[in-house]
């Protein structure tokens, strides 16, 4: 209708009317653009809020995972320290407990860090919509540290490979059958594992003694185990730092969403 009036006014000497009509068109376009931009900004904020909620959920999973991982590796370390103590003794301690300790000391948890939602946020180009500059910086630092977390958490020392090459296969099979990881579901859908607190292999004493003697006479097993304990302590320190960082950034994100 406005465009029709403009054509009519252009055809007649009504320049003032033409100017008014053009102003109406320009204002209409401006208002339309403003409404479109406002709607787009609102959609961006809604999408960013959804990503933020997903990241908070991911961090909760990581928190539960890290707590369970700390408990697991404390058990592994306790077995490793007990096995090292047995290797240091001049006599021959009971064989079956030593075999269990030596094997359980080689256990690992190889689940990587959960960071799917953050990766999707970065790919979406909406990272700047999540919180203020300080929040975004803290979030970025948290996920940068996740790469270092996986490097350390998923690493294995030479002890595991050496122990499992030397230990009698039938003994290993018995340990896996009777002392295997206990799997449970974690909050948020993750999976946690723990080691049994009691384990009875029921091995023939002669078989157990022979298998234990093979381990005690293995070159460098004691040195590998000593190094392995140091690695376990490094992992536990990392998990503690990661847990504190996760709780801090989650609280920051939750406050930003209010």
């Amino acid at each position: 209708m406005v465009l029709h009036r403009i054509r009519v006014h252009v055809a007649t000497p009504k320049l003032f009317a033409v100017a008014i009509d053009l102003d109406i068109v320009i204002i209409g376009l401006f208002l339309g653009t403003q409404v479109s931009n406002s709607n787009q900004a609102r959609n961006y904020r809604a999408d960013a809020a959804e990503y933020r909620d997903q990241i908070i959920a991911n961090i909760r999973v990581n928190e539960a995972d890290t707590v369970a991982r700390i408990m697991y590796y404390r058990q592994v370390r306790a077995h490793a320290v007990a096995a090292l103590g047995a290797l240091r003794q001049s006599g021959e301690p009971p064989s079956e407990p030593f075999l269990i300790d030596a094997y359980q000391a080689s256990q690992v948890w190889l689940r990587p860090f959960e960071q799917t939602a953050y990766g999707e946020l970065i790919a979406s180009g909406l990272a700047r919509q999540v919180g203020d500059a300080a929040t975004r910086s803290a979030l970025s630092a948290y996920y940068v540290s996740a790469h270092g977390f996986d490097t350390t958490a998923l690493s294995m020392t030479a002890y595991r490979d050496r122990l499992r090459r030397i230990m009698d296969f039938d003994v290993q099979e018995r340990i896996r059958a009777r002392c295997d990881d206990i799997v449970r579901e974690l909050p948020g859908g993750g999976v946690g594992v723990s080691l049994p607190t009691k384990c009875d292999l029921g091995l023939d004493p002669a078989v157990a003694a022979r298998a234990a003697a093979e381990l005690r006479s293995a070159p460098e097993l004691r040195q590998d185990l000593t190094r392995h304990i140091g690695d376990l302590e490094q992992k536990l320190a990392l998990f503690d730092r990661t847990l504190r960082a996760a709780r801090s950034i989650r609280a920051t994100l939750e406050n930003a969403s209010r």
Side-chain angles (χ1 to χ4, degrees):
M1 181 63 71
V2 173
L3 292 177
H4 173 71
R5 289 205 307 272
I6 291 174
R7 285 195 296 270
V8 171
H9 293 156
V10 168
T12 61
K14 297 181 179 180
L15 296 180
F16 181 71
V18 171
I20 293 176
D21 291 339
L22 287 174
D23 286 344
I24 292 173
V25 171
I26 292 171
I27 292 171
L29 291 174
F30 174 77
L31 292 177
T33 301
Q34 290 296 99
V35 170
S36 176
N37 289 342
S38 177
N39 289 337
Q40 187 177 51
R42 185 164 53 251
N43 290 336
Y44 284 160
R45 288 194 297 270
D47 290 343
E50 184 176 346
Y51 280 121
R52 183 175 57 237
D53 290 343
Q54 292 175 4
I55 290 172
I56 290 172
N58 278 182
I59 292 174
R60 287 187 181 277
V61 170
N62 286 335
E63 286 180 57
D65 175 275
T66 306
V67 168
R69 206 181 294 240
I70 289 171
M71 296 173 62
Y72 183 77
Y73 276 104
R74 283 176 178 170
Q75 290 182 293
V76 172
R77 184 186 180 282
H79 284 292
V81 170
L84 183 60
L87 287 173
R88 285 173 171 170
Q89 292 184 23
S90 56
E92 292 190 3
S95 297
E96 187 169 301
F98 167 61
L99 292 172
I100 294 170
D101 286 329
Y103 185 87
Q104 300 293 53
S106 72
Q107 298 283 36
V108 293
W109 181 325
L110 298 179
R111 183 178 183 273
F113 209 62
E114 176 57 62
Q115 45 189 320
T116 305
Y118 184 71
E120 292 176 354
L121 171 67
I122 296 301
S124 73
L126 295 175
R128 293 182 63 83
Q129 302 289 330
V130 178
D132 57 17
T135 298
R136 295 194 299 271
S137 177
L139 185 61
S140 176
Y142 172 74
Y143 279 102
V144 166
S145 70
H147 296 292
F149 179 95
D150 283 347
T151 299
T152 300
L154 305 183
S155 66
M156 291 182 286
T157 67
Y159 173 75
R160 176 184 169 92
D161 181 66
R162 189 182 301 276
L163 181 281
R164 297 192 179 202
R165 283 190 294 109
I166 298 170
M167 181 179 280
D168 181 271
F169 179 75
D170 291 336
V171 173
Q172 293 189 52
E173 286 284 272
R174 183 69 65 91
I175 294 173
R176 283 190 284 269
R178 298 196 178 192
C179 314
D180 201 10
D181 287 343
I182 301 170
V183 181
R184 68 188 188 282
E185 186 174 341
L186 297 175
V191 175
V193 294
S194 61
L195 296 175
T197 56
K198 294 183 179 180
C199 180
D200 179 17
L201 300 182
L203 289 172
D204 179 276
V207 172
R210 183 170 61 253
E214 289 176 351
L215 292 184
R216 292 192 185 96
S217 63
E220 299 183 1
L221 184 64
R222 177 174 164 179
Q223 291 89 335
D224 284 345
L225 181 54
T226 300
R227 171 66 185 88
H228 183 62
I229 292 172
D231 182 74
L232 292 172
E233 291 174 347
Q234 182 182 9
K235 284 181 168 64
L236 286 167
L238 170 67
F239 300 155
D240 182 66
R241 291 194 305 271
T242 302
L243 181 59
R244 285 186 276 111
R247 287 170 173 167
S248 175
I249 190 61
R250 176 173 58 80
T252 300
L253 289 173
E254 288 173 340
N255 289 333
S257 64
R258 292 172 185 171

